[in-house]
Protein backbone atom coordinates (compact mmCIF):
# COMPACT_ATOMS: atom_id res chain seq x y z
CA UNK A 1 0.00 0.00 0.00
CA UNK A 2 1.16 3.55 -0.76
CA UNK A 3 2.63 5.33 2.24
CA UNK A 4 0.79 8.46 3.35
CA UNK A 5 2.58 11.79 3.07
CA UNK A 6 2.08 14.78 5.32
CA UNK A 7 3.06 18.20 3.94
CA UNK A 8 2.41 21.50 5.74
CA UNK A 9 2.54 25.06 4.38
CA UNK A 10 3.80 27.87 6.58
CA UNK A 11 4.80 31.51 6.51
CA UNK A 12 3.72 34.90 7.79
CA UNK A 13 0.35 36.23 6.59
CA UNK A 14 0.70 37.50 3.03
CA UNK A 15 3.82 35.44 2.22
CA UNK A 16 1.91 33.92 -0.73
CA UNK A 17 1.39 30.29 0.23
CA UNK A 18 -2.36 29.92 -0.44
CA UNK A 19 -2.54 29.46 -4.21
CA UNK A 20 0.27 26.88 -4.10
CA UNK A 21 -1.60 24.57 -1.72
CA UNK A 22 -4.32 23.99 -4.31
CA UNK A 23 -1.80 23.70 -7.17
CA UNK A 24 0.21 21.06 -5.31
CA UNK A 25 -3.00 19.09 -4.66
CA UNK A 26 -3.68 19.10 -8.39
CA UNK A 27 -0.10 18.01 -9.19
CA UNK A 28 -0.40 14.99 -6.86
CA UNK A 29 -3.86 14.08 -8.17
CA UNK A 30 -2.55 14.23 -11.74
CA UNK A 31 -0.10 11.49 -10.74
CA UNK A 32 -2.85 9.31 -9.30
CA UNK A 33 -2.51 10.15 -5.59
CA UNK A 34 -5.51 10.68 -3.34
CA UNK A 35 -5.17 14.07 -1.63
CA UNK A 36 -6.69 15.39 1.59
CA UNK A 37 -6.56 19.17 1.51
CA UNK A 38 -7.07 20.75 4.90
CA UNK A 39 -6.07 23.67 7.13
CA UNK A 40 -5.34 24.79 10.68
CA UNK A 41 -6.80 26.01 12.82
CA UNK A 42 -9.76 24.07 11.41
CA UNK A 43 -10.39 21.03 9.27
CA UNK A 44 -13.25 19.51 11.35
CA UNK A 45 -16.60 21.00 12.45
CA UNK A 46 -15.32 21.42 16.03
CA UNK A 47 -11.94 22.81 14.97
CA UNK A 48 -13.61 25.29 12.59
CA UNK A 49 -15.64 26.61 15.55
CA UNK A 50 -12.41 26.98 17.53
CA UNK A 51 -10.85 28.74 14.51
CA UNK A 52 -13.60 31.36 14.52
CA UNK A 53 -12.89 32.05 18.21
CA UNK A 54 -9.10 32.07 17.82
CA UNK A 55 -9.16 34.45 14.83
CA UNK A 56 -11.74 36.89 16.18
CA UNK A 57 -11.84 36.96 19.98
CA UNK A 58 -9.19 38.67 22.10
CA UNK A 59 -7.54 36.19 24.51
CA UNK A 60 -4.26 35.81 26.35
CA UNK A 61 -1.37 33.91 24.76
CA UNK A 62 -1.80 30.70 26.80
CA UNK A 63 -5.53 30.57 26.02
CA UNK A 64 -4.73 31.14 22.35
CA UNK A 65 -2.11 28.35 22.36
CA UNK A 66 -4.54 25.96 24.08
CA UNK A 67 -7.30 26.72 21.57
CA UNK A 68 -4.87 26.09 18.68
CA UNK A 69 -3.76 22.77 20.19
CA UNK A 70 -7.34 21.73 21.05
CA UNK A 71 -8.34 22.33 17.42
CA UNK A 72 -5.23 20.44 16.31
CA UNK A 73 -5.98 17.40 18.46
CA UNK A 74 -9.47 17.03 16.97
CA UNK A 75 -8.17 17.59 13.44
CA UNK A 76 -5.33 15.11 13.88
CA UNK A 77 -7.60 12.33 15.19
CA UNK A 78 -10.58 12.93 12.89
CA UNK A 79 -8.87 13.83 9.61
CA UNK A 80 -5.06 13.66 9.40
CA UNK A 81 -4.36 10.24 10.95
CA UNK A 82 -7.16 8.44 9.04
CA UNK A 83 -6.02 10.04 5.78
CA UNK A 84 -2.38 9.03 6.33
CA UNK A 85 -3.51 5.50 7.24
CA UNK A 86 -5.36 5.30 3.88
CA UNK A 87 -2.16 6.36 2.09
CA UNK A 88 -3.35 9.87 1.15
CA UNK A 89 -1.19 12.89 0.60
CA UNK A 90 -2.27 15.29 3.34
CA UNK A 91 -1.69 18.95 2.44
CA UNK A 92 -2.25 21.14 5.46
CA UNK A 93 -2.35 24.94 5.28
CA UNK A 94 -0.46 25.57 8.56
CA UNK A 95 0.30 23.16 11.42
CA UNK A 96 2.25 23.30 14.70
CA UNK A 97 5.11 25.47 13.43
CA UNK A 98 2.49 28.25 13.23
CA UNK A 99 1.81 27.92 16.97
CA UNK A 100 5.52 28.24 17.74
CA UNK A 101 5.81 31.18 15.31
CA UNK A 102 2.64 33.13 16.24
CA UNK A 103 2.05 32.28 19.91
CA UNK A 104 5.75 31.63 20.69
CA UNK A 105 7.48 34.23 18.47
CA UNK A 106 4.69 36.76 17.89
CA UNK A 107 3.07 36.77 21.34
CA UNK A 108 6.25 35.84 23.23
CA UNK A 109 4.71 32.79 24.92
CA UNK A 110 6.99 30.20 26.58
CA UNK A 111 8.62 27.97 23.94
CA UNK A 112 9.16 25.01 26.30
CA UNK A 113 5.46 24.93 27.29
CA UNK A 114 4.59 24.82 23.58
CA UNK A 115 7.04 21.91 23.16
CA UNK A 116 5.27 20.05 25.99
CA UNK A 117 1.85 20.68 24.48
CA UNK A 118 3.17 19.50 21.10
CA UNK A 119 4.32 16.19 22.61
CA UNK A 120 0.97 15.64 24.35
CA UNK A 121 -1.25 16.61 21.44
CA UNK A 122 0.70 14.96 18.63
CA UNK A 123 1.12 11.54 20.24
CA UNK A 124 -1.42 9.22 18.60
CA UNK A 125 -1.94 5.47 18.16
CA UNK A 126 0.04 5.75 14.92
CA UNK A 127 2.97 7.96 15.88
CA UNK A 128 4.86 8.91 19.05
CA UNK A 129 5.07 12.47 17.72
CA UNK A 130 3.18 13.14 14.51
CA UNK A 131 4.97 15.78 12.45
CA UNK A 132 4.86 16.74 8.78
CA UNK A 133 7.22 14.84 6.44
CA UNK A 134 7.88 18.18 4.75
CA UNK A 135 7.12 21.76 5.73
CA UNK A 136 7.19 24.33 2.94
CA UNK A 137 8.13 27.63 4.57
CA UNK A 138 7.33 30.69 2.44
CA UNK A 139 9.68 33.49 3.47
CA UNK A 140 9.02 37.15 2.70
CA UNK A 141 10.03 40.47 4.26
CA UNK A 142 7.12 41.40 6.60
CA UNK A 143 6.93 44.91 5.09
CA UNK A 144 6.39 43.44 1.60
CA UNK A 145 3.83 40.93 2.95
CA UNK A 146 1.92 43.80 4.59
CA UNK A 147 1.89 45.73 1.27
CA UNK A 148 0.55 42.67 -0.54
CA UNK A 149 -2.22 42.21 2.03
CA UNK A 150 -3.24 45.88 2.16
CA UNK A 151 -6.61 46.02 0.43
CA UNK A 152 -6.50 42.33 -0.56
CA UNK A 153 -8.88 41.18 2.22
CA UNK A 154 -10.48 42.27 5.49
CA UNK A 155 -7.76 41.64 8.12
CA UNK A 156 -8.47 39.18 10.96
CA UNK A 157 -7.02 39.45 14.48
CA UNK A 158 -3.56 38.33 13.36
CA UNK A 159 -3.45 40.10 10.00
CA UNK A 160 -4.15 43.43 11.70
CA UNK A 161 -1.01 43.13 13.85
CA UNK A 162 1.85 45.58 13.16
CA UNK A 163 4.88 44.67 11.04
CA UNK A 164 7.01 44.13 14.20
CA UNK A 165 4.71 41.28 15.24
CA UNK A 166 5.40 39.52 11.92
CA UNK A 167 9.14 40.11 12.31
CA UNK A 168 8.89 38.09 15.55
CA UNK A 169 6.67 35.46 13.86
CA UNK A 170 9.28 35.08 11.10
CA UNK A 171 12.01 34.67 13.73
CA UNK A 172 9.88 31.95 15.37
CA UNK A 173 9.64 30.10 12.06
CA UNK A 174 13.40 30.50 11.59
CA UNK A 175 14.02 28.95 15.00
CA UNK A 176 11.83 25.93 14.17
CA UNK A 177 13.53 25.48 10.78
CA UNK A 178 17.01 25.70 12.33
CA UNK A 179 16.07 23.00 14.87
CA UNK A 180 14.96 20.53 12.17
CA UNK A 181 16.41 21.64 8.82
CA UNK A 182 15.76 18.33 7.01
CA UNK A 183 11.99 18.70 7.46
CA UNK A 184 11.89 22.20 5.94
CA UNK A 185 11.83 23.38 2.34
CA UNK A 186 12.53 27.10 2.56
CA UNK A 187 10.95 29.03 -0.31
CA UNK A 188 11.89 32.60 -1.28
CA UNK A 189 8.49 34.31 -1.49
CA UNK A 190 9.97 37.45 -3.02
CA UNK A 191 9.76 36.16 -6.59
CA UNK A 192 7.08 36.10 -9.28
CA UNK A 193 4.36 33.54 -8.55
CA UNK A 194 5.59 31.04 -11.16
CA UNK A 195 9.16 31.07 -9.81
CA UNK A 196 7.75 30.40 -6.32
CA UNK A 197 5.75 27.49 -7.75
CA UNK A 198 8.86 26.04 -9.42
CA UNK A 199 10.61 26.12 -6.04
CA UNK A 200 7.65 24.32 -4.44
CA UNK A 201 7.82 21.62 -7.13
CA UNK A 202 11.61 21.29 -6.70
CA UNK A 203 11.26 20.68 -2.95
CA UNK A 204 8.74 17.89 -3.53
CA UNK A 205 10.51 16.35 -6.52
CA UNK A 206 13.91 16.21 -4.81
CA UNK A 207 12.31 13.96 -2.19
CA UNK A 208 11.09 11.66 -4.98
CA UNK A 209 7.39 12.26 -4.24
CA UNK A 210 6.47 13.73 -7.65
CA UNK A 211 8.06 13.07 -11.02
N1 LIG B 1 4.58 35.74 -5.88
C1 LIG B 1 3.71 36.75 -5.66
N2 LIG B 1 4.00 38.01 -6.06
C2 LIG B 1 3.14 39.04 -5.80
N3 LIG B 1 1.97 38.92 -5.16
C3 LIG B 1 1.62 37.69 -4.73
C4 LIG B 1 2.47 36.55 -4.95
N4 LIG B 1 1.87 35.45 -4.41
C5 LIG B 1 0.70 35.90 -3.88
N5 LIG B 1 0.54 37.23 -4.07
C6 LIG B 1 -0.58 38.09 -3.60
O1 LIG B 1 -0.29 38.43 -2.24
C7 LIG B 1 -1.47 38.38 -1.44
C8 LIG B 1 -1.27 37.33 -0.33
O2 LIG B 1 -1.15 36.02 -0.91
P1 LIG B 1 -1.74 34.73 -0.20
O3 LIG B 1 -1.45 33.57 -1.08
O4 LIG B 1 -3.18 34.99 0.20
O5 LIG B 1 -0.83 34.70 1.11
P2 LIG B 1 -0.89 33.76 2.38
O6 LIG B 1 -1.81 32.64 2.09
O7 LIG B 1 0.52 33.31 2.55
O8 LIG B 1 -1.35 34.65 3.50
C9 LIG B 1 -2.62 38.04 -2.38
O9 LIG B 1 -3.25 39.24 -2.77
C10 LIG B 1 -1.92 37.39 -3.58
O10 LIG B 1 -2.64 37.59 -4.78
C1 LIG C 1 -2.36 27.14 12.93
C2 LIG C 1 -2.18 28.48 13.57
C3 LIG C 1 -2.54 29.65 12.92
N1 LIG C 1 -2.37 30.85 13.52
C4 LIG C 1 -2.80 32.07 12.82
C5 LIG C 1 -2.00 32.40 11.59
C6 LIG C 1 -2.97 33.12 10.68
O1 LIG C 1 -2.91 34.51 10.95
C7 LIG C 1 -4.32 32.62 11.12
C8 LIG C 1 -5.06 31.75 10.13
O2 LIG C 1 -4.20 31.28 9.17
P1 LIG C 1 -4.55 31.25 7.61
O3 LIG C 1 -5.53 30.16 7.37
O4 LIG C 1 -3.27 31.21 6.89
O5 LIG C 1 -5.25 32.64 7.36
P2 LIG C 1 -5.94 33.10 6.02
O6 LIG C 1 -7.12 32.19 5.79
O7 LIG C 1 -6.33 34.49 6.39
O8 LIG C 1 -4.87 33.00 4.96
O9 LIG C 1 -4.11 31.88 12.34
C9 LIG C 1 -1.83 30.95 14.80
O10 LIG C 1 -1.70 32.04 15.35
N2 LIG C 1 -1.46 29.81 15.46
C10 LIG C 1 -1.61 28.57 14.90
O11 LIG C 1 -1.28 27.54 15.53
Amino acid sequence: MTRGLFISFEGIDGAGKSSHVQALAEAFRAQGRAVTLTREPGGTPLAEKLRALALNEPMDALTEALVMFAARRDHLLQVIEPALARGDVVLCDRFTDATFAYQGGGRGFDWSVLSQLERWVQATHHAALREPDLTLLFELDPAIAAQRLAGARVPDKFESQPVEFFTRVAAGYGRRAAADPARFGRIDGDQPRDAVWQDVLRCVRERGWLS
Side-chain angles (χ1 to χ4, degrees):
M1 194 184 133
T2 318
R3 188 176 81 87
L5 268 183
F6 183 14
I7 302 177
S8 62
F9 293 72
E10 298 283 1
I12 62 170
D13 289 278
K17 66 186 162 48
S18 287
S19 61
H20 303 291
V21 185
Q22 187 63 45
L24 192 58
E26 277 153 28
F28 273 111
R29 286 185 183 125
Q31 296 195 5
R33 294 291 304 253
V35 175
T36 292
L37 192 59
T38 189
R39 69 169 181 182
E40 291 213 346
T44 69
L46 172 60
E48 290 291 332
K49 288 184 187 164
L50 295 172
R51 176 190 177 93
L53 296 174
L55 267 54
N56 296 302
E57 304 291 335
M59 55 185 80
D60 88 300
L62 172 58
T63 309
E64 206 170 81
L66 292 171
V67 170
M68 297 299 179
F69 273 117
R72 180 161 303 127
R73 179 73 183 171
D74 191 55
H75 185 217
L76 198 55
L77 297 186
Q78 305 296 332
V79 173
I80 297 176
E81 289 294 349
L84 292 174
R86 287 194 301 271
D88 282 17
V89 177
V90 175
L91 301 182
C92 195
D93 192 341
R94 301 190 183 280
F95 195 62
T96 305
D97 297 307
T99 314
F100 282 87
Y102 282 76
Q103 282 66 54
R107 299 268 193 240
F109 185 70
D110 191 314
W111 200 266
S112 66
V113 174
L114 296 180
S115 297
Q116 272 179 295
L117 289 168
E118 177 184 38
R119 282 194 294 275
W120 273 86
V121 167
Q122 287 160 234
T124 69
H125 290 305
H126 300 274
L129 175 64
R130 175 63 72 192
E131 287 193 293
D133 297 298
L134 168 66
T135 296
L136 294 167
L137 176 58
F138 293 72
E139 297 186 292
L140 185 64
D141 183 322
I144 300 175
Q147 278 167 16
R148 284 188 186 175
L149 281 183
R153 56 190 182 226
V154 180
D156 62 30
K157 193 177 91 182
F158 293 103
E159 287 166 351
S160 49
Q161 292 289 325
V163 166
E164 305 80 68
F165 176 85
F166 290 103
T167 302
R168 295 196 299 275
V169 172
Y173 276 126
R175 185 171 168 188
R176 286 285 278 183
D180 192 1
R183 175 165 67 83
F184 280 82
R186 297 178 82 153
I187 310 261
D188 177 6
D190 193 9
Q191 310 180 77
R193 211 182 290 253
D194 191 56
V196 174
W197 170 239
Q198 292 307 320
D199 283 355
V200 169
L201 275 180
R202 191 173 315 120
C203 281
V204 178
R205 284 184 176 140
E206 71 191 15
R207 287 167 174 78
W209 298 336
L210 273 178
S211 52

